[in-house]
Amino acid sequence: VQLQASGGGLVQAGGSLRLSCAASGRTFSNYVWGWFRQAPGKEREFVAAISWSGGSTDYADSVKGRFTISRDNAKNTGALQMNSLKPEDTAVYYCAARPIGGSTYAYWGQGTQVTVSS
């Protein structure tokens, strides 16, 4: 079972990036998908989550209105569209999955670096 995050890079403030997460080894259609990030010297923090159906989403206050989480169960993939990026969004971004009704994210991707220059 593997989650593979991609799409990170270097972008100027105000720019956009789209992160992708591909799952393999099992079907994640009945899992909640989430994105987290960890900046240097800081704790890992929640960014966004999406329900198994895609009908419900949740965002950290710091990214509301700028980031959009999505998923494609047919392709077993997830995505995080990030617009109006700020230097404080610089971090390693991780995708993760947890079973419906569970409290723990059991599967994690390897992380992709996002760097926003001012």
Side-chain angles (χ1 to χ4, degrees), residues 77-115:
T77 60
L80 184 69
Q81 177 67 42
M82 306 185 296
N83 299 329
S84 302
L85 283 162
K86 304 176 181 179
E88 50 264 43
D89 293 320
T90 294
V92 177
Y93 283 71
Y94 300 89
C95 59
R98 64 174 173 83
I100 296 172
S103 60
T104 302
Y105 282 85
Y107 301 100
W108 291 85
Q110 86 290 0
T112 184
Q113 176 71 47
V114 172
T115 303

Side-chain angles (χ1 to χ4, degrees), residues 1-111:
V1 178
Q2 186 175 16
L3 297 179
Q4 182 77 29
S6 61
L10 174 63
V11 63
Q12 288 188 333
S16 299
L17 279 175
R18 183 177 178 84
L19 304 184
S20 298
C21 184
S24 61
R26 70 175 301 147
T27 299
F28 283 87
S29 58
N30 57 342
Y31 279 69
V32 172
W33 286 68
W35 287 91
F36 294 77
R37 66 186 182 187
Q38 187 166 19
K42 295 187 177 181
E43 296 287 321
R44 185 172 61 193
E45 65 175 359
F46 169 80
V47 175
I50 186 167
S51 64
W52 68 274
S53 67
S56 177
T57 57
D58 188 25
Y59 297 93
D61 288 343
S62 59
V63 306
K64 279 182 182 176
R66 300 188 298 122
F67 290 12
T68 303
I69 189 171
S70 62
R71 65 188 296 163
D72 185 335
N73 287 338
K75 296 181 179 179
N76 223 17
T77 60
L80 184 69
Q81 177 67 42
M82 306 185 296
N83 299 329
S84 302
L85 283 162
K86 304 176 181 179
E88 50 264 43
D89 293 320
T90 294
V92 177
Y93 283 71
Y94 300 89
C95 59
R98 64 174 173 83
I100 296 172
S103 60
T104 302
Y105 282 85
Y107 301 100
W108 291 85
Q110 86 290 0

